[in-house]
Amino acid sequence: MSEDPERTTASKMVEALQAELKETVASLQAEREALAQLKEQAAAQLDAERKAKEEAFASLRAKDEAVMKLEAVVAEINGDANLQAVRRNLDSSAATTEPLDRNNPGVTVLDNNVRSENTTISRFTVDIHEEPQAFLKALLGDHPKVVAKRLFQKVLEEGVLYWSFMAGNNKSCDLLLRMCVERQDEEEIFIRVTAVEEEELYSSLPNAHSTAAKKLRLLFKEGTIVLQPLPFGQTSFTFMAQVDVGEVMKDAVVSTIGGTGISRSPSSGITRSVSGLSSVSVSSAASKDPALKKIGARGGDAAKGHELFYKLATMFYDRFKKEDVIDERRKADFVKNKILNAPPLTVGEQKLIKDSVNLVEEVASRAKRIAGTVNDSVEKFLHHAEGGGGAVGMTVAKIDVAAVYLFTELWLIDTYARKAETKNTIRRVWNDLDGTRGLQHTNSVSLPGGFQDRLFESWLTWERRVEADGNQTFVIGWCPLEKYRGTHHRVDGAEKMHKATTRGVYIIKEVTENTCEWTKVLQADLKISLPGRVVDIAARQHLSGANETQEKFRRNRKEVDRERGAALAEVMIGRRGVALMEDQVEVFERCVKMAGDVVGVGEEEDWKMSLLGWKVLNSPCLDVKMWMKYDPPQKGERSVGTGKAVGVVDCSAEEVAAWAMDYCSNERMRKHSEEGQPARLELRELRRENEGTFATVKRTPVFLDDREFVYRMIWSAEIGKVMIAFEPVGEKVDYGVRLRTTKGLTKGLWIFEDIPAVRGGAKQCRATYVMNLDARGFIPTWVVNKTAPKALKIVQEAIDEFRQDDRIDAAEREEFTTFVKEHWKEEVYSVEELLLINKGKANVKAIMDSADLKVVDSGDPMVSLRMAHLEDDKLGTGAFESVIDAEMEELVAFDCLKMSREAKSNYKKKGGIERLVKKVNGHSFYVLSRRDLKVPGFTHREYRNIVIWRKESEDKMIVCYDDTDDLDDEHPRDPNAVTGSARVVWVYERLPALEEVPQTRVQVLARIDVAGSVPNFVMNRLAKNFGKVLINMTKKFDKSLEIDAGHRAAIAEAIELKEESGGAEALAQFEALVEERPGWERPSRKSFGLADSMVKADKSGHAWGTTRLDIRASMEEVAAFYWDFGSRSNMDISGDKERSFKGKIKDTDKKVVRRRQKLESGDRDRNFLSEMTLQKVDKDTIIVLLNPLGRSDENSQAKVTVKARGTIAESLTGSVEAREMVGIRLKRLGEGLTKLEYVCECKLGFDISLGAGKAFVEGRLDEMAGVSIYFQRLVPLGEYGVGDGMALAHDLLWKTSSSKTRIKRFEEVLLKCRALQELKRSLPWIDKMMVPAVEGHLHLNKSVHTKLECVSVKEAIRIGKNLISSLKSKKLAAAGVDAWRIQNEAVKELMEKHEWFLTMIVELSQGIVKSAAWGLMFRVTAGAVLSVTDLATDLVVLKQFWDGGEEALAFRNASLASLSASIGLQLFMVLLQNRKKGLRRMVNECLIVVTGFKAPWDAYKVSIGAEQEIDTVGDPMLELTTNKCIELFAESIPGIIIQLSAIVRTINVGEKEVTMTAYLSLLVSLLTTGFISATMSYDYDTDPKKRAFNPEFYGYVPDDGGKRALLFFTLILQSAVQVLIKALVVVILGTIEYWYPLYYILGDISLFLLYKIVMRDFRYWIRIDGIPGLCLSLLNRTIVKLVADFAAIVQFRHPYEVGGLYFLVNMCLPLLWLTILLALDLANENLSEGTLKLLTSLGIGLGITLVTLLGAFYLLINKEYRHTFYSSFTGPQMTRRNFLEGADVVKADALTVHESFWLPIKDEMAAWLNDNWTIWVDEKPDWFTDQWKAMVPEDMIPRKKFKDEDSEEQADEDEETKAVSARQQVRRKSLLEQAITGDFDIRKDAKVAPEGRMKTEKFDEEVFIREIKRNGSLKFA
C-alpha cells in the first residue's frame, strides 16, 4: 500500500516542529539557569551592599552621636549668658581670618572661640607640608629625635601613641591616645581617636622632657582626625577631640574614667582641671608667647586648653615645615598652568594696564635722577606730582633671572616668604577677584611720630605681552581699590586707620632667557602734609627695595655678561644686511672718512703702514700691535692723532661686537666703580635696536675738570663682518648732581672680520680699532697723544675676554705630534742639516764620556745636572737629564712650537722683547729672539738660531739648536743689541710606561754665550739656569700621583688578601721598641701640629724618636705606601738621596732595602741597610718593621731609585754605614682613617754630635708628618670635613716662619691639594683671597658685601686683607675670624657651604697671629713693655716723692702701699688658682708675678687658645681679667689718685709749677686704665663662645667693623673720663678732711655689700666653699665694686658682678658727687680761689664729655642689649633662668658656677643629667669635656649606668701597667744593640700583650670631628 504523499509531508513537518520545540525548550532551560545564577549573584551583591550601608549607617550614627554630644555642650554653653556675650564679641571678628600672631601672619582664628566650665572641645587644622600617606605613616610611628624640636612621639603598643611637648614657661604637656584608621581613600583619611583605659600605660610613660618644672596632661575621651590632600603636596590635618587638662604632680600618674581626669593619690596627681572650646588653624611656624598670653586673657584659666592645642598644632607644623619648597611648587604651578590659562583681561583691567604704562612714560620724561645714585647698579629717579598726590619714584634695574620668574616672584605676594618679610598689622590678599586675574591687597603701615596708621587698599592686575623679537614683557599695574567696580573685601580694624592710596606699575622685559630688565614706578599718597625733604627720604628708602631684589637674584657677573652678549650676537646675525637709517649712514660715513684708507687693509706690517702715514707705537700689550697717524688739522681744530690697534680675538665677529656694544656690562661697571670714576651710564631713552647712547665721566688729575664723554654707538652686520661706529653727541645728561666737567670728544670705528677657524675648531676674528680722542680744555695735545696706547688697550681687553689659549695650543701640539708620528720617515734632510745633527750627537757623547764631569745641584730634585768643557772651549756646557711622564713626540712639540700662546706668554714674562719664527720645512725653522737682561747698563741680547729635529727611530729623537746668519738679509741685525750664542741639543728617548703612563728620558746639552763684557763664570751660571726649561717641562707633565697610586692600589689589594700570620711576634717586637725611656723630650724644632712626637739622643750617636698621628687613608693604603719603598712619593717625602730594594713590588712578605740620607749637620751621608717585613696582626692592625742587616746581606741585583729622575747617581764612597730599627703600627679607625704609631732607634756613629742626632731623628718624624700631609692632599673636596680643614691649616703652617715662607707654602699646597684645586675651579679667585690672608700684613679694613658667586679678583684680595685687620682687632683668633665672617658676605656663604673652611681659617689664623709682627709676639711684647713702663713710671714718681722730703712723705708711703698691695694680691690669686698643681708650679707662677711679667704671660696663654686645666679655679681668660682688675684696683687707680692729689696740692700751694712729667704720667695712667677697661669689656662681649653660651647678655658690640672701632675708642675715653672724675671727687674730699675719702669709699662699698646681701647675691660665683669662699667673695666683691666705680668696665654690669642697675647708678654717682662738692664750695677753706675755679672748669668739661660719650655709647650698641644696662637681675636668678630656658650648652654652663646659685633647682638639674648623660657619652658635644665633668657634683653623676664600663676600663689599664712594668724590668740592652749582636730573641725578651687587649677600635666620624673642634687638634692618649 503506497503512502499518501501529503501525509508523509505533514509527518515530516511535525517531526521538524518537534525538533525545533525541543531546541527551544533546551534554550529556555539554559536561560532559566542563567537567570537563576544572575539572581543569586545579585542577591549576594545586594547583601554586601546592605552590609556596607549598615556599616556606613553605624559610622554615621557614631558621628551623629558625637555631634549630638557636641550640640548638647553647645546648648549648655548657649544657656550661659556670660559665655554668650563672649561669643557675640567673637562672632563680630570671625568674618575674616585675622592673624593670631602679628609676627607670624600664617596663624589665624577660623571659628568661634567658645568655652564651657565642664568640658573642652578643641579643634585645630594644620596645613602639613607633606603628602597624606607620608604624613599618616609619620603620624602613627615613633619620632624620638624630635626632642630637639620640642615634640616627642612614641608608639607604646599597636595603635597607642604618646605625645609630649614643651608648653612654655618650663611646662610640658603629655597626651596618650588610641588611634584607628577607619576610612582611607584618595579624598580623605578618617581616623578615630579614643581614650586609653589601661592604667599601666600611664605608669610607664617615658620622661621625654625631664627638665620641665610642671607637667600638664590632656586626657582624651574621644575625637577624630581627618587628613585631606591639598595642592602642592600638602595635607590638611584636622584634629577635633573632647579633652580635660590636668597638672601632673611628682610621683603621680594620671588616668581617665569616662573622659574626665580623676584625682587619685598618688596615682592620679590631677590638682585642677581647665576647660574651654577652641578652634585654631595653623599655617605657619610656632607662635610667639605674646599671642598666647593674649588668648589666655580672654578666658583666664579656661584658655589653657586652647593654648595647649595651639602649641600642639605648631609642633606638628614645625615638624613638617617646608615653606620654601611649597613656595617653589606654587611658583612652578603658576608659571606652567596659570599664566597661559589666565582669564582674559576685562575692560577695566585693560584700562588699568594702559594707565600704568602711560604712568611710566610720564615719569620717565619728568623725573630727575636721585643724587648719589649715578653709579648705583639700580637707576633711581624721583618726581613730585603736580597738585599733590605724593612723590613718584622710578627704578630701572637689570635682574639676573628669567623675566617670567621675576614676574611670578612679584605677583605672588602671599607666599610664605613674602609674609615673613612684612610685619604689618593688617595684611590680606584676595586672589582671583570675581573670577578675573586681578587681586585685592589690603595692608597697613605704621607711621612714626604719633601719626595714625595708614591703610592701603589696592587693586592689582597683570598682562603678558610678546614683543616683535619674540621676547616676553610682563606688566603689573595697581591703583586704589575704589577704582575697581566689583567686590570689595573688608577687614576688621580698618575704621581705626586713616586711608592712604598708592598706584604704580612693574614692567619686566625679557633680555635673555635668564636675565631681564625691571622698571618700577610707585606713587604713594599718605594723605598727610610732610616736608618735601622728608618725603624724598622716605621715597629713597622705599626705592632701595629694587637693590635688594637685584642682590637676591645676583649671579656671576661674567656669566651674565656672556649671556647678554650671546643674545645680542644672535640679533646681529639676524640683522645681517639690514639697511641703516639715514642718520646712522651719515655717522658711518664720517667715521670711515676719519679712519681713512686703513679700512680693509689685510695683514698689517710696519713697512706697509708707514707708507700710509702710520707710525709704530710701543704697544704695552702682548697680543696687540699699535700705530698712530697725525692728519693736518682743519681750521679751528686741534692737532690730535688718530690711533689704531689690531689683534686677533678667539671668537666670532658678532660675539666680540656684542661685547663692545655692552658698554655698561657688569664687569665694566665693576671696574669703573673700583677705579673711582664719577659716572658711567646708558641713555635708555635714546636706545634703538642697533644703537646705544652712552655717557661717561673720567676723573682727571687735581686742578683739572673731569672729562665728560657722551657718544652714540651704531653697529652694522654683514656676513663675516661687523662694524661699530661711534661719535660724540650733544645730549645733556642727568647725573643727579651737578658735576664740574669739560666735555671731551671721541670718534672712532670698530671693524671685526671673521678669519678661517684655527686648530681646535676655535672661531677667530680680526679686530681693528681706530679712534680719535680729544680731551679738550687745557690739556696739551701731546699729552693726549701720549696716552693713546692706554685708550687702545681695549683691544687687548677684548682678546683677554675670549681667550682660548689652552684649546688652541693643545690642538697645535696634537697636529705636530701626529705629523711626527706618521710622516717622520718622509722627511728629507740636507747635508748641512745632517752635519749639524751629527755634531750635536757627538757633543752629547763627548760630555757623557768626559773625565772632568762635575755633578752640580740643579736646584730641583727631579733634574740632574753635570758641568763639563768641550775641547778648547772656555765656556762650560751644562748636561741636564730627567725622566718625564709624557710621550716623546709630545715633548718635542712642546719645545719646538715657539709661537704657541703659552710659549709667547712665558717668553714675555722672562724678559723676552720680540720673537720671530720662520718655517723652513717640516723639520726645521729659524728663530730670531731679542731679550732684556734686566741688568742696569747692559744692552739687549739678540739670538739667531736654526732649529732642526730628527727622529732617529721609533724610540729616539734629537733636536739641535745652532747659531745662524741666514736671517741677516731679511732681518738686519739691530745695532743697539749684542748678538749672543745659544747652542742646545735635546735628546729624547722613549722608556717603558709606568702604570700606563708614558715615560721619556730627556737629555739636554746647553752652551750659552751672552757675549759682550760678561765673565765666563757668569756665562757658566747662565748655562746652569738653562736647566729651568727642563725643570718646568718636567713639572708640567708630572704624573707621579697617578703612577704611585697605581702601584699602591696593587700592593693594597695584595695586603688585603694577606693572611694573618706572625702578627703576635711582630706586635711584641713593636711594643718592645715603643717602650718609654727616661729622658724623652719634645722635638727642639717645630713639629707638625697634629703629631704627638718625642725624641731622645745621647753622645754616642744613639738616637730614638716616636710619633703618633692620624692619616686620612685606609689602613691598606698606608701600609702599601710604606711597602712601595722606591716610589717617587716616598723619595720626595723622605729626602733620601738614593733608595734601592730587592724583591717584587707586590710581594708583601719581606724585602731588603737600602737608603742613603744626607745629614742636616753637614756630616757625611749615612747608609742604612735593612730587612723590611709586613705582618697583618688582625683585620684592623698591621705592623711594618725594618731590622738592620750587615753589608754582606745586600744583594747586588737591587732596584735603584735616585733622588733625581735621571740616571746620575753618586758613588757610595764617602758615606758612613749606620743602623736603624723602625716600627710602624697601623690601626684602622674607620673607613678612610688610620692611626699611625711610629718609633725608630738609630745608631749613627760616634762622630756625630748630640744635636745632630736629635736633628736626624726629628727629620725621620717629619717624614711621618709628610705621609699624613700626602694623603690629606689626595682627599677630594666632596669628602672634606671639619677635621680635614684643621689638617689643611696645619699643612699650610708647617715649616713656615714668615710671610714669604707662608706664601710659598700656600702655593705649593694649592698645586698639590686636590680639594683646593677643585675649590679653585668653582671659585677661581680663592687663591687671590688666601694669599694676603696667609701673608699676614696689616691693611685697612673695608667690608665686602658681594655674594659668593659674584666676587671679583679685586674683591677677593680685599676680603683676604680684611682677615688680618679682623685678627688684629681681637685677642682671640676665633673672635677675629667671626668678625671677618660677619663683615664679608662671601665668606659667610663659603663657610655655610663648606664647614671645614671655618675650621681651617681659625687654625690658620692662630698660626698667623703667633708669627705675625702684630700678632702674638707683638701683644706679648706690648704687654711686657706696658707692665715695665708702668712699673718704671711708678718708680720715677716714687723717687720724686722720696726726694720731696717730709711734704711728700704721705705720697711716698701711699705709693709703696699701692705697689705692695698689687703684688700681694696677685700672689694670692696665683696661689689660689694653682693650689692643686704642686709646689713647683706655684713657685714658677709667683716668680712671674714678682718680675712684673704676669700680664704678658696671661696674654700669651689666652692668645694660643689655652683651655682651663683640671684642678684650677678659672680659665686663662678669667685669670687674665682677674689680674688686670687687681692691677687696676691696687696700682693704676691708686696711682692716679696719688698723682692727681700731688698735682692739685702743687697748684694750690703755688710755690712751684707742676712739671710736664707729672702731667704726662697722669695722662699715660688714664689712657692705660681706659685701654685695659675697654679691652676687657670688648674681648668678653665679642668672644664667640660667650655669645653662644649667654646670647641674652653678650652681643652689645655691633658687627659692623667701623662701628666696632668707634665703640672701642668710646670705651677707652669713657673709662678714662670716669676714673678722672672719681679720682677728682676723692682728691677734693681729701682736701676737706684727711679721712673723708676713706669714709666715702668704705661707705660706698658697704652700701653695695648690703645691697648684695639683701638681694641674696653676696656669694661670688667661683666654686670655692667654706671660709675661703666667703673671704674670696668679700675680696672679689670689693675689688669689682671699686674697679667698676673708677674704671667703668662695662663687663661688670653682668649679674655675676655688679649688676646692670647698680652699674648704671655707679656711672652717675661720681658726677653727681663732683657737682655737689663744687657747687657748695665745700673745699673753699683748704683750696685757693684759683684752684677752685680750675677744678670747676675741669669738672664741667668732664661732665659734658662723659654725658656725650655715654650718649654715643648708647647709640652705637645693639639696641636689643640696652636693657642689660639697667636690669636688676641677680647672678642666681640668671643662672636658674638660663638653665630652665636655655639649650643644653647653656644648661651646662650653669653647672660651672657655685652650687648656691642653682641649689633651688638641683632636682631639675639632676633629672637633666640622668636623662641625657648616656646621650652625651655617645655624641660627645663640644662642652662635654673632662674639665666640665669634673665640675659636676659627685651625687649628681648617674654612676650606675657606667659602673661596669668603668670597672672594665680600670682592669684594662691595670693589665697594661703590669705588662709595661714587666717589660721594663727584663730590658737590659737596647733592641738595636741586641739585633746587631744577634742576642735578640723575640720569644724570650718580648712580652706579648695580654689576651683580650687587642680590641677593634670603632670609628665614629661625628665623634672624631667633635674631638677635633673641641681640642683644637688631634689628641692621643
Side-chain angles (χ1 to χ4, degrees), residues 467-488:
E467 306 297 341
D469 57 1
N471 290 337
Q472 299 180 98
T473 298
F474 295 91
V475 181
I476 301 176
W478 68 90
C479 66
L481 183 64
E482 59 192 27
K483 292 187 178 182
Y484 175 63
R485 302 188 182 279
T487 304
H488 291 194

Side-chain angles (χ1 to χ4, degrees), residues 156-162 176-179 194-205 217 219-220 253-259 264 267:
L156 300 182
E157 60 181 41
E158 185 176 0
V160 179
L161 275 85
Y162 166 64
L176 192 62
L177 58 161
R178 189 185 303 278
M179 291 188 183
T194 57
V196 176
E197 303 293 344
E198 295 84 348
E199 195 166 326
E200 61 273 10
L201 290 178
Y202 287 92
S203 61
S204 61
L205 293 180
R217 183 157 299 153
L219 306 173
F220 283 83
V253 180
V254 176
S255 64
T256 98
I257 298 179
R264 298 181 179 180
S267 63

Side-chain angles (χ1 to χ4, degrees), residues 1157-1166 1168 1244 1248 1252 1256:
Q1157 187 169 5
K1158 182 179 180 180
L1159 300 186
E1160 297 180 12
S1161 59
D1163 294 295
R1164 288 185 296 174
D1165 295 348
R1166 260 51 178 181
F1168 299 91
L1244 303 175
I1248 195 169
F1256 177 84

Side-chain angles (χ1 to χ4, degrees), residues 186-214:
E186 294 181 357
E187 297 182 356
E188 183 179 85
I189 299 175
F190 185 85
I191 304 173
R192 173 74 61 188
V193 182
T194 57
V196 176
E197 303 293 344
E198 295 84 348
E199 195 166 326
E200 61 273 10
L201 290 178
Y202 287 92
S203 61
S204 61
L205 293 180
N207 194 7
H209 296 92
S210 59
T211 60
K214 294 182 180 180

Side-chain angles (χ1 to χ4, degrees), residues 929-931 939-943 973-980:
S929 58
R930 186 178 293 111
R931 290 177 176 272
T939 58
H940 296 166
R941 257 49 177 182
E942 189 177 81
Y943 298 90
R973 297 180 184 267
D974 186 354
N976 297 320
V978 176
T979 301

